[in-house]
Amino acid sequence: MDLHRPFKMDSPSYLPAPLASPALMVLASTAEAGRDASVPCQAPRPFGVPASMEKDLHLPFPSASYTFTSMYQRQGPMSGTFPSRDFPASLLHLHPQFTPPNLDCSTLSMLNHSGVGAFRPFSSPQEERESAVYQSAFTPAKRLKSCFPEVEGKEFDFGSPGGSLKAGEDSGRKLFSMSGLLSDGEASSSPEERKEHSKVKGLYDAQAPVCPVCQAILRPGELQDHMEQELTKLAQLQISAAPVQHDHLIRTPKSLSLSLHIKREGGSPTSPPRPSEDTHSDRYQTFLRVRANRHTRLNVRIGKLKRRKPEDGQEGSAELAPLEDEWNERRRIQMTSIVGGFKGAVLVSTTSKECRDSDADLDVDGDDTLEYGRAQYTETDVIPCSGESSKETAVSSGSSSTLPDSRVNLEFSKWSNDGDPSTSSGEKVDGSIAGLPKTCKNTDIETTMSGPRPVVLSGPSGAGKSTLMKRLMKEHEDVFGFSVSHTTRNPRPGEEDGKGLNKLPMLLGATLLPVADVFSSEDLENSFSCPNESETTDKDYHFTTREAMQEGIDKGDFIENAEFSGNMYGTSKAAIEDVQAQNLICILDVDIQGVKRIKETDLNPIYISIQPPSMEILEKRLRDRQTETEESLQKRLEAARIDMELSKEPGVFDVVIINDDLERAYEELKDILNEVSETIK
Ligand SMILES: Nc1ncnc2c1ncn2[C@@H]1O[C@H](COP(=O)(O)OP(=O)(O)OP(=O)(O)O)[C@@H](O)[C@H]1O
């Protein structure tokens, strides 16, 4: 070991505990003392044998530039009555790992004869040193024999590499020795030598010892008891510090700060941080509770819709102004604790009376994105079925543009057009659609629209949406209406603006945008019988020009739009208003991307998903329908897989109907729409 180099202070395992500090102190001082090469080291001596000052000195480290003596000279006079003095090398009980390779260790030991390796500053008076019985400064005043009678004869493993500390029986005397390390003369000396040593020990005991740990000056004989106490304290300190140290070591600073951040978010600003496991568990419980509450609120509101009388709908619109005021009271409070890092978003919502209590649990929602991943809910999902929901969405959207709101933004990013938009039919539409601005500016739909809530019907191609809706229309023609889409394509023979080839309106959306990759735009323009187009020939369209439609899109007049085969298609909010104005339930058949876009608006429809029982059955239905080429079929199936996955996400749809049995699925759909239809005057 090169003592010239700095010790490895950064390696805790390198230092012996609990006596690391004194050893380190001595060695560090020794290294520092290296500047004074003129003062030689004193000769080592057998442990426990008094050293004479008259003995020849020699340099155990000929090439070294430090000495023990110089170290002690540098220390200066001790406080009080203890003068500065030379220090014999034999008093330095080096731990093996601190022992220089060229040092003769045979007579040195980390531990003294009583097995205690604590250093004790030298303090014998001058006359004692001159009497040739030079005392070891590190020899405890009392032997362990009298201090630990109960453990004598037992063997202890202290984990030292050299051996174990054991209390041995030797000639009627119980001695502690460090096997493998201890070169205590007492343990192996003859009776004569022991007699000599006992004389010395009398002097040892007469010394005024100083605690090497706390530097307290003790009375002779007190050192052992004192050390016992110190060691107990150290042991306790180590036990209590161990988990903290371990925690610190295994975490990177980043993960540690993250954990603290989460902890603080999880608790109140004033509550003390709890263990991270508990906090995580609590956070998860909170997440589950909030999710359950949201579902409960949704069900409650659906129930309220059912019970609502026709005139209530009017009252609802009459209350818009006060509700608007109440909405303005909604505040987003960003709390940052002075105490340290607590950061949590609290929504204080006074949107409506019925929401005040039920939304209280939202206060626990901090930004848990790091912990649980992207948020799956927005405020839209929390209050999805009433007018105030729209206002919440509006404000949330507004706040996202001014004040960053990670939950809302993440939610939107989850639904955003990362790639090319696709229809539920599985076709990707022209890339030009991706660059189109939002179709609705989230402005005045709520205030201008009145009438029954629209219904968004979505699901994979082939799930049975059209089949179900056709039947519904047939039986309840006076209840449902369909918005008339805009298109820039040329009217076909027999088509008029706002009036299809026959009087039965068809669905918008998936059936509207079916065959981009199957048929060219020329095919579409010239064909009246392309797959799926046969199902849409009876659909009404508003025929318009590209310029006019783009202008409407730019103004936010459309809730959705797409470009297909060189033609633009879209649903204007005016078209929906027309249906509502007739006091009909407007049905919107849109793909999952359409759902996403409508969720960005204030339309506030009921979202219903029609799902097939399995992919295999879906494929069979699509094949049986004989409307697809193999290529388009595969695309629809691929889109269906994505659709089915997204549909499982909580909060995306209000209702999911599995269309395994047409009759049962139809009844379920009718029940849900009946609830909406009760709002119709
Ligand atoms: N429950 C059912 N059991 C058996 N066949 C069904 C069922 N529901 C629908 N089908 C059949 O599945 C096929 C696809 O149905 P449909 O055209 O209504 O699906 P879709 O969701 O409207 O598809 P797209 O979005 O492509 O228009 C049709 O041939 C239909 O007759």
Side-chain angles (χ1 to χ4, degrees):
M1 178 179 174
D2 184 3
L3 290 177
H4 293 279
R5 288 188 309 180
F7 293 104
K8 297 178 180 175
M9 295 295 289
D10 55 338
S11 172
S13 62
Y14 189 76
L15 302 173
L19 300 174
S21 303
L24 184 64
M25 178 191 73
V26 169
L27 289 172
S29 300
T30 302
E32 280 183 25
R35 297 188 202 97
D36 182 3
S38 61
V39 186
C41 278
Q42 288 188 313
R45 62 177 175 84
F47 188 82
V49 177
S52 167
M53 294 300 290
E54 284 75 45
K55 275 190 176 178
D56 289 340
L57 301 176
H58 75 275
L59 287 170
F61 313 110
S63 61
S65 58
Y66 55 86
T67 64
F68 297 131
T69 308
S70 63
M71 173 186 76
Y72 265 73
Q73 284 174 340
R74 283 167 57 84
Q75 284 186 337
M78 295 185 69
S79 61
T81 59
F82 301 102
S84 172
R85 65 195 67 230
D86 291 341
F87 184 70
S90 60
L91 302 181
L92 184 64
H93 309 290
L94 290 175
H95 192 280
Q97 68 205 64
F98 294 140
T99 306
N102 58 346
L103 176 65
D104 178 12
C105 299
S106 59
T107 55
L108 294 180
S109 155
M110 173 190 171
L111 302 179
N112 57 29
H113 70 285
S114 46
V116 176
F119 291 84
R120 185 160 61 94
F122 188 72
S123 61
S124 63
Q126 182 73 20
E127 54 271 19
E128 286 177 11
R129 287 190 292 142
E130 288 167 354
S131 68
V133 281
Y134 207 96
Q135 303 267 330
S136 167
F138 303 108
T139 305
K142 285 176 75 176
R143 294 168 46 132
L144 285 173
K145 177 186 173 184
S146 56
C147 296
F148 302 101
E150 68 281 0
V151 295
E152 286 180 6
K154 294 178 184 172
E155 193 162 314
F156 303 91
D157 185 1
F158 282 78
S160 62
S164 60
L165 180 67
K166 65 181 176 183
E169 199 78 34
D170 184 2
S171 305
R173 289 173 24 162
K174 291 172 183 171
L175 294 173
F176 278 84
S177 67
M178 175 66 81
S179 63
L181 280 180
L182 186 63
S183 59
D184 191 337
E186 268 191 329
S188 57
S189 59
S190 64
E192 291 76 31
E193 284 171 327
R194 284 189 214 125
K195 198 175 173 186
E196 176 80 11
H197 296 163
S198 66
K199 249 170 68 183
V200 174
K201 286 191 187 70
L203 288 169
Y204 292 167
D205 290 353
Q207 289 182 105
V210 177
C211 173
V213 179
C214 65
Q215 303 299 316
I217 300 172
L218 307 168
R219 275 181 291 187
E222 277 185 351
L223 179 62
Q224 200 61 53
D225 292 336
H226 184 79
M227 282 303 299
E228 210 177 326
Q229 291 170 8
E230 293 287 358
L231 287 172
T232 309
K233 278 186 213 165
L234 278 170
Q236 285 170 350
L237 269 176
Q238 276 209 324
I239 289 167
S240 60
V244 176
Q245 211 173 20
H246 174 70
D247 196 39
H248 181 73
L249 287 174
I250 60 171
R251 288 166 192 260
T252 62
K254 193 178 174 186
S255 66
L256 185 65
S257 65
L258 174 65
S259 167
L260 288 172
H261 177 68
I262 292 167
K263 270 194 249 180
R264 285 171 184 170
E265 276 200 345
S268 71
T270 52
S271 67
R274 291 167 296 170
S276 60
E277 291 79 11
D278 291 347
T279 309
H280 293 177
S281 169
D282 288 352
R283 295 282 303 158
Y284 184 62
Q285 293 302 326
T286 302
F287 166 73
L288 293 177
R289 185 165 56 83
V290 170
R291 186 173 65 176
N293 285 344
R294 286 168 179 170
H295 283 300
T296 306
R297 281 195 295 274
L298 173 63
N299 291 334
V300 165
R301 288 192 171 88
I302 287 178
K304 279 177 184 166
L305 275 176
K306 196 174 179 179
R307 289 192 299 274
R308 192 180 290 169
K309 292 176 185 174
E311 55 271 22
D312 290 344
Q314 292 295 80
E315 285 172 13
S317 23
E319 285 172 357
L320 278 177
L323 281 177
E324 190 70 40
D325 292 339
E326 288 185 351
W327 169 248
N328 290 333
E329 292 175 44
R330 180 190 167 117
R331 301 180 301 276
R332 185 171 186 84
I333 299 174
Q334 197 81 15
M335 295 202 313
T336 304
S337 165
I338 302 169
V339 181
F342 176 86
K343 190 180 176 190
V346 179
L347 293 175
V348 182
S349 177
T350 54
T351 339
S352 72
K353 291 177 182 66
E354 67 182 45
C355 290
R356 278 178 184 136
D357 53 345
S358 59
D359 286 348
D361 58 344
L362 289 177
D363 290 358
V364 298
D365 270 354
D367 184 359
D368 54 8
T369 309
L370 287 171
E371 186 69 5
Y372 297 113
R374 290 176 171 182
Q376 297 189 352
Y377 295 91
T378 65
E379 279 71 29
T380 313
D381 300 315
V382 177
I383 309 169
C385 298
S386 58
E388 54 269 28
S389 161
S390 307
K391 298 185 189 69
E392 287 197 355
T393 310
V395 170
S396 298
S397 305
S399 67
S400 68
S401 61
T402 53
L403 181 72
D405 181 336
S406 60
R407 294 187 73 85
V408 173
N409 287 336
L410 285 170
E411 174 69 14
F412 285 168
S413 68
K414 183 178 70 178
W415 287 94
S416 66
N417 267 328
D418 296 325
D420 293 338
S422 64
T423 71
S424 70
S425 311
E427 280 79 16
K428 294 214 170 189
V429 294
D430 291 354
S432 55
I433 188 178
L436 292 176
K438 280 184 187 176
T439 50
C440 180
K441 288 180 177 173
N442 302 330
T443 49
D444 55 350
I445 284 184
E446 184 63 34
T447 52
T448 57
M449 285 187 175
S450 60
R453 289 176 71 193
V455 172
V456 163
L457 207 62
S458 187
S461 172
K465 302 180 296 290
S466 305
T467 307
L468 288 167
M469 285 310 301
K470 277 178 188 169
R471 188 166 171 185
L472 204 65
M473 281 299 300
K474 207 172 173 182
E475 294 181 15
H476 305 280
E477 197 177 350
D478 56 339
V479 174
F480 301 102
F482 297 93
S483 61
V484 178
S485 297
H486 282 69
T487 182
T488 59
R489 78 163 167 82
N490 295 323
R492 291 165 185 157
E495 284 184 328
E496 295 174 28
D497 187 75
K499 193 175 173 185
L501 292 177
N502 61 48
K503 298 301 291 178
L504 180 66
M506 278 301 293
L507 304 180
L508 163 76
T511 51
L512 179 68
L513 307 166
V515 286
D517 298 326
V518 184
F519 292 90
S520 67
S521 79
E522 197 178 339
D523 289 334
L524 274 176
E525 292 303 313
N526 299 330
S527 170
F528 291 89
S529 59
C530 62
N532 269 25
E533 188 69 356
S534 58
E535 297 181 39
T536 60
T537 49
D538 51 4
K539 179 172 172 54
D540 298 338
Y541 281 108
H542 289 300
F543 298 100
T544 182
T545 63
R546 177 172 284 272
E547 293 71 29
M549 189 160 172
Q550 187 60 57
E551 192 183 337
I553 292 167
D554 293 342
K555 281 162 60 184
D557 291 341
F558 284 76
I559 64 160
E560 70 150 8
N561 67 282
E563 181 141 351
F564 167 67
S565 246
N567 295 311
M568 296 172 71
Y569 296 84
T571 306
S572 68
K573 59 183 184 182
I576 297 171
E577 287 170 3
D578 287 345
V579 178
Q580 289 182 303
Q582 297 168 53
N583 209 23
L584 298 174
I585 298 171
C586 183
I587 306 285
L588 298 166
D589 177 4
V590 296
D591 64 5
I592 199 78
Q593 293 292 331
V595 170
K596 175 202 72 176
R597 292 186 197 179
I598 292 173
K599 276 181 179 269
E600 294 174 13
T601 73
D602 290 346
L603 188 60
N604 190 32
I606 293 174
Y607 295 93
I608 300 174
S609 174
I610 308 294
Q611 292 289 324
S614 67
M615 281 300 297
E616 293 72 29
I617 291 177
L618 182 74
E619 182 175 351
K620 183 177 182 307
R621 287 181 188 171
L622 283 173
R623 288 189 185 282
D624 291 348
R625 195 169 73 178
Q626 296 184 333
T627 56
E628 311 303 319
T629 64
E630 185 60 30
E631 193 182 357
S632 72
L633 180 88
Q634 292 305 325
K635 286 186 177 178
R636 283 167 194 263
L637 290 176
E638 185 54 39
R641 281 189 195 94
I642 298 168
D643 187 301
M644 289 166 79
E645 276 306 308
L646 290 174
S647 301
K648 288 177 193 165
E649 290 192 17
V652 176
F653 289 100
D654 297 325
V655 182
V656 176
I657 295 174
I658 307 296
N659 180 21
D660 47 355
D661 177 80
L662 193 59
E663 283 306 315
R664 198 181 54 78
Y666 178 66
E667 288 304 316
E668 278 184 38
L669 179 63
K670 222 167 55 168
D671 283 350
I672 295 157
L673 295 178
N674 270 339
E675 294 175 356
V676 183
S677 68
E678 284 182 23
T679 64
I680 299 173
K681 285 185 280 188

